[in-house]
Amino acid sequence: MKGIIKFMKLIVSILIIFTLFSKIFAQNLPDYLDPGEHNFDKAGYKLFIEKKRNPKLLKEYIALEKRNYDVLRYDLYMDWYDLISKHFETGNLLTFEASNKIQLVILENNVSFIELDAMLLNIESITINGQPSNNSNKKALGILKVNFNQTFNSGDTVVLDIKYNFSSSENEGGINVYEKGTPIELGPPPNYDTVFIEEKIAYTMAEPIDARYWMPCNDRPYDKALSSFTVKVPKGYTVTSNGLLTKKVDLADSSTFFWKHDYPVTTYLMHAAASKYHYYYDWYRRVSNPDDSIKIEYYVWEKDFQDTSSDGMTHNATYAFRNSVKMMEFYSTIFGEYPYERYGMDAVLDCWFGGMEHQTITTLHRNVLRKKNRWGGNADNGNQLVIAHEMAHQWLGDLITCASWNDIWINEGGAVWSETLWQGRTNPDNYNWAIMGKMQTYLYYNTQNVQPPVYAPPIDNVFNYATTYMKAGSIYHMLGVMLGKERFLEILREMFAEYGYKSLDTEEFKNFLKSKVENPSVDFDTFFEQWIYKAGHPIYMVTHSTRKNQADEFYKVNLNLAQLQEGDDIPNVFQTCMWVKFFGPDGIVYIDSLVNKDRIEQFTFTLPFKPDSLQLDTVKTLCQVYAYVTDVEDNSDNATVIANIYPNPSINKDKSFLSLELKEDSFIDIEINDNLGRKMDKIKSGFLTSGYHLFDIQTKNLASGIYLISIQSKGKLITKQLNVLK
Ligand SMILES: [Zn+2]
């Protein structure tokens, strides 16, 4: 029988609606994709990455274990008078004197020393509970070992008073100082886009591991403490920091600002900035109690406050911050009341990031105040999203904080998702467009380079835009889809109540969901394993066939889902909640949902019309569709086997897929022959159950030409033609 083409009972046409590798994935990032926080990706970010690759730091960077003490409070004093009043030129040193009083509680017995993090800091003296430290304190590889004069036991409180000075010949990231008048190139031509430092500025940055560059501390995100910042600057300068300004002392030529924060904060969220700022504020009336108001404060350069120009190329603070109060009302409504005593934003230049969610005092790249980007295009939408993103972090990131950098997705995914909630606050379509942009951005990056798992990003890529931001944001979205957005928000509010002012890791996040939801469509162990601990996403081949019921007017539609994704760290199966749209005559659309739990799975729907096509809802579920294949039959009663090959022709591909729908269980033989009838390969010989099956046809070693796939079942032979082009 081989080599003989028999009359085919089935006329099958293949309708390809959409393929994965279509041209929407152009070479450049499409316009609708939002570059977000990394809008200001510049040399500074490269330096930052280089620093994180430093093998000496590697060990400390990934240190995840908790130390044998817990910090209760930091009282930090920094004398920035010289730092600001002396002109900083190449070759000069940036220096300041400082002290940090650290109150901590010991967590183990017989503790004779502790370790703190300290980089670039010259330790001058340490007292322990008021007594000078007798033992030598060693500092090596960024670790300051403090030897006690005695042993301490669990529950003992220790107060360290550490006097030190900071000294560096360059801006190394933790401390940033820029002279007034310095030109800052904002990127490629046109050359009108040079801006200048309007006033001398000094500010700290800390995420993820740079707090140790300006204060000795337990620089691990899980450890939160109360804090105060006292900073001395030349008169005329303003200092902002975490919490509330409790006092300002003016002397003839200096001012000292006393900032105090009465809520626990982790080291990477501590911050101080000093410049000749214009300070102003709005009032936010708490949504939970309109009689209680807090300030939303702004620290911007005078020029940016006064700006009224309409060309959009200048910095206009009042325009940029016009939505702050509304945003605060919005997030306080959906996440629960704003959890701190005040909120503020300070604008800085130069810096490599778009925004940084320092607790109660977000730091923004000054360009967030500018309506147009460097090419003259609209930047306002992106700016509003940066402002929203950082504000949302006050809950997702600051109130609850990733316990280690492995868990950074909790912060960033939450803030990215929050951006889309703000965008969709009045119109669900806007939410859908926004979240689709995030998912498409992840998928775009993934076509460039296969992306690692969301959990525990590589050391030099902790802020991996594709996974830490876009995919993690999509994961929050999918939890919202699976649980219902309102229910998920309710669970998050409960999470803030339980873990607020503390940290949590990925397992705690998962277990909290488990404790709140009894029977999720996809159980949380599976959900977290596939989306967070493993890499990739489902890639679907979708085929369907329709049979008319003889007894009534209904149509039976078999929907066949095959997941094609493969790779080392990529799950064989993603269990997903999926929505399907069936399109029929006269614009009729029928939507149904399913839970896909197997790599190859068939679902049957009964419809009152014959669908022309169908579509998976790729807005609700992060996935790609490799191909839609529609089987159209003219003689369905007799059809026991429906077979399709895709792609066909196979052009420069390693394989095609053979999909089979069997009406009944049967023994089956599938072979591939060349057009002279020579057998090239056996694809399957054996028993198959009724339903849907998918086979690989390896084309890697086949020369260009026509091949015949013969499928023999119950004495009948079906032959399909495969065209291979190399
Ligand atoms: Zn963020």
Side-chain angles (χ1 to χ4, degrees), residues 37 357 389-390 393 412 415 469:
E37 280 193 315
E357 67 274 20
H389 177 109
E390 307 308 336
H393 264 314
E412 297 304 342
Y469 290 80

Side-chain angles (χ1 to χ4, degrees), residues 156-167:
D156 289 348
T157 301
V158 177
V159 179
L160 304 176
D161 200 343
I162 304 174
K163 296 208 171 357
Y164 63 98
N165 63 73
F166 169 94
S167 177

Side-chain angles (χ1 to χ4, degrees), residues 344-357:
M345 287 176 267
D346 57 15
V348 302
L349 194 68
D350 191 17
C351 62
W352 58 263
F353 55 90
M356 175 61 216
E357 67 274 20

Side-chain angles (χ1 to χ4, degrees), residues 632-696:
V632 183
E633 310 144 43
D634 70 342
N635 194 0
S636 57
D637 282 347
N638 295 326
T640 55
V641 179
I642 303 173
N644 262 316
I645 298 170
Y646 185 86
N648 189 9
S650 163
I651 304 169
N652 293 322
K653 291 239 160 56
D654 287 348
K655 68 179 172 188
S656 281
F657 297 97
L658 170 68
S659 72
L660 279 190
E661 255 191 74
L662 298 183
K663 205 172 180 182
E664 301 160 358
D665 298 352
S666 57
F667 282 92
I668 202 150
D669 281 299
I670 308 171
E671 288 176 1
I672 177 164
N673 303 291
D674 69 9
N675 59 356
L676 298 174
R678 290 177 300 203
K679 180 169 149 187
M680 309 301 292
D681 200 3
K682 186 182 266 305
I683 294 171
K684 173 76 186 176
S685 179
F687 180 77
L688 287 180
T689 55
S690 66
Y692 181 62
H693 302 274
L694 190 74
F695 300 97
D696 294 354

Side-chain angles (χ1 to χ4, degrees), residues 575-620:
Q575 294 193 14
T576 57
C577 303
M578 187 60 74
W579 278 255
V580 194
K581 290 180 190 171
F582 298 89
F583 300 95
D586 304 324
I588 188 169
V589 180
Y590 173 79
I591 300 174
D592 210 337
S593 65
L594 55 89
V595 181
N596 176 209
K597 295 203 167 182
D598 292 315
R599 188 165 168 93
I600 292 182
E601 196 168 359
Q602 184 168 71
F603 301 87
T604 301
F605 301 87
T606 302
L607 301 184
F609 63 90
K610 183 175 182 179
D612 300 324
S613 64
L614 60 81
Q615 225 174 13
L616 299 186
D617 189 340
T618 54
V619 177
K620 288 197 167 67

